[in-house]
Amino acid sequence: MHDFIRNTALSLGFDSCGIAKAEALTEDAEFMRSWLDTGQHGDMEYLNRNFEKRIDPTVLVPGCKSVVVVLMNYYPLQKQSNDLPQISKYAYSKIDYHTVLKTKLGQLETILTQEYGDEIISKEYQHSFVDTAPILEKRWAEKAGLGWIGKHTQLITPKLGSYVFIGILLLNEEVKPAETRVPFRCGTCTRCIDACPTQALNGRSLDATKCISYLTLEIKSDIPDDLKQKLSGWIAGCDICNDVCPWNIRFGTPNQHEEFAPAEAIFSLTKDDWQNMKKEEFDVIFGKSAVKRAKLERIQSRWNADNADNAD
């Protein structure tokens, strides 16, 4: 069954696939509780909800016995020039990656039920996930033998680097894992820690309240003054820690997925273009992409606030 699942996943366009036994993540539970208690999640209160489900897939989906993890490379062929307002590479594509991975996971699910019967998939609970549910995707990818969690807190997979999307499919069938765990291979490297303008990384965890991705996408209040000038041109997400990672520099290969074709406008939109953009234009360009999470009003209001501060 393991080989059938893996080969099917690869045939559908996933770049990697691994399987882990479903079980409680005891160590992660202790770490996450401490991380939450110290407020490092900031305004992301959803991380406080469904704690038991988040750290144990057998609670999230009763009857779950195996965690299938799939990866898709999203490293782009073309990158923005540094003088433009910066958008994280995960949001380059015209189609939101959630849509792409969920569609492929649905195809994988259909094939597996045809092969092994409907009982392999829970009918009562959601069982496939792409970055929108209480499940620790990166840890499960690590347990499935697909890579390790680096000092920048991202999954690093040896042949692809860390520019990968993660999808999860929970099965009500015990599938013997064939992969072995990949050891931690960051060594003494601290490039990601040293490069972070806001010092959000410490080599063991991430203080989300200092992370540029959080500050441009998640924060509900105003960006603190001491961090406002450290955004380094980013308006939606941030790739600094990934860009300097030697595993990406060495193994970052442009993806071959047509679904991740970029919205060409991101390679030409200047700050003035963004400031003068109307919502209708924004919706036409980014209506189906992950950029929409950044919200045009949020981007423009921050610049307007900066201009007001400078005027004072």
Side-chain angles (χ1 to χ4, degrees):
M1 181 181 288
H2 175 281
D3 289 346
F4 181 84
I5 294 173
R6 181 180 181 278
N7 292 335
T8 301
L10 296 179
S11 72
L12 291 172
F14 292 113
D15 293 300
S16 191
C17 175
I19 301 172
K21 178 183 178 181
E23 58 188 357
L25 301 174
T26 306
E27 292 184 10
D28 289 276
E30 294 177 1
F31 171 84
M32 190 167 185
R33 176 45 61 198
S34 173
W35 186 77
L36 289 167
D37 287 346
T38 55
Q40 295 182 67
H41 61 302
D43 291 336
M44 296 182 288
E45 282 303 317
Y46 60 85
L47 294 175
N48 251 322
R49 299 193 291 270
N50 299 308
F51 185 83
E52 294 302 322
K53 292 181 179 180
R54 194 176 298 278
I55 54 92
D56 189 347
T58 67
V59 176
L60 178 64
V61 178
C64 166
K65 296 179 180 178
S66 300
V67 182
V68 177
V69 187
V70 291
L71 306 180
M72 284 189 78
N73 172 29
Y74 67 91
Y75 192 79
L77 176 63
Q78 183 182 0
K79 303 174 189 176
Q80 288 181 291
S81 61
N82 292 331
D83 60 327
L84 295 178
Q86 296 294 294
I87 295 172
S88 182
K89 296 174 185 62
Y90 84 84
Y92 272 20
S93 58
K94 289 179 284 189
I95 303 175
D96 192 326
Y97 70 92
H98 295 91
T99 301
V100 175
L101 268 73
K102 284 181 179 178
T103 298
K104 291 185 181 296
L105 281 172
Q107 294 169 343
L108 177 60
E109 174 187 331
T110 297
I111 294 173
L112 293 183
T113 55
Q114 290 173 346
E115 183 72 16
Y116 299 108
D118 290 344
E119 63 275 5
I120 195 174
I121 300 288
S122 172
K123 296 297 181 294
E124 298 181 54
Y125 304 92
Q126 180 184 354
H127 45 264
S128 63
F129 309 95
V130 182
D131 192 29
T132 56
I135 191 165
L136 301 179
E137 292 99 339
K138 290 180 287 187
R139 182 64 73 203
W140 284 110
E142 184 179 61
K143 289 178 72 67
L146 300 182
W148 71 95
I149 297 177
K151 294 180 182 179
H152 54 8
T153 74
Q154 304 300 310
L155 177 76
I156 301 176
T157 185
K159 295 182 180 180
L160 296 173
S162 59
Y163 283 106
V164 291
F165 295 128
I166 304 174
I168 300 287
L169 180 62
L170 300 183
L171 301 183
N172 290 355
E173 183 77 28
E174 188 169 342
V175 183
K176 186 177 181 180
E179 301 82 9
T180 57
R181 293 282 292 271
V182 179
F184 183 80
R185 296 170 65 181
C186 289
T188 60
C189 178
T190 59
R191 292 189 191 183
C192 57
I193 299 169
D194 300 336
C196 180
T198 59
Q199 298 181 312
L201 298 166
N202 61 23
R204 300 177 303 280
S205 65
L206 166 74
D207 184 345
T209 64
K210 296 179 181 179
C211 178
I212 293 175
S213 286
Y214 168 83
L215 296 172
T216 56
L217 296 172
E218 300 285 355
I219 192 171
K220 294 179 173 57
S221 55
D222 292 335
I223 298 174
D225 290 339
D226 62 325
L227 297 176
K228 194 179 297 182
Q229 303 306 318
K230 297 180 181 180
L231 300 182
S232 304
W234 293 91
I235 62 171
C238 179
D239 288 331
I240 293 174
C241 62
N242 277 320
D243 281 340
V244 301
C245 178
W247 289 92
N248 287 321
I249 293 172
R250 184 176 178 184
F251 296 108
T253 303
N255 76 79
Q256 302 297 312
H257 304 298
E258 293 182 0
E259 300 97 329
F260 296 152
E264 293 297 330
I266 64 174
F267 302 118
S268 60
L269 289 171
T270 65
K271 183 176 179 179
D272 286 342
D273 292 331
W274 279 101
Q275 286 181 305
N276 296 322
M277 188 179 294
K278 304 298 183 184
K279 187 177 185 303
E280 293 77 13
E281 181 183 3
F282 179 82
D283 289 342
V284 169
I285 300 173
F286 301 114
K288 295 182 179 181
S289 88
V291 174
K292 63 182 179 290
R293 283 195 65 237
K295 297 181 180 178
L296 179 62
E297 314 87 77
R298 191 205 312 254
I299 294 171
Q300 293 178 333
S301 65
R302 187 174 71 241
W303 279 326
N304 292 337
D306 289 347
N307 291 336
D309 290 342
N310 293 333
D312 292 341

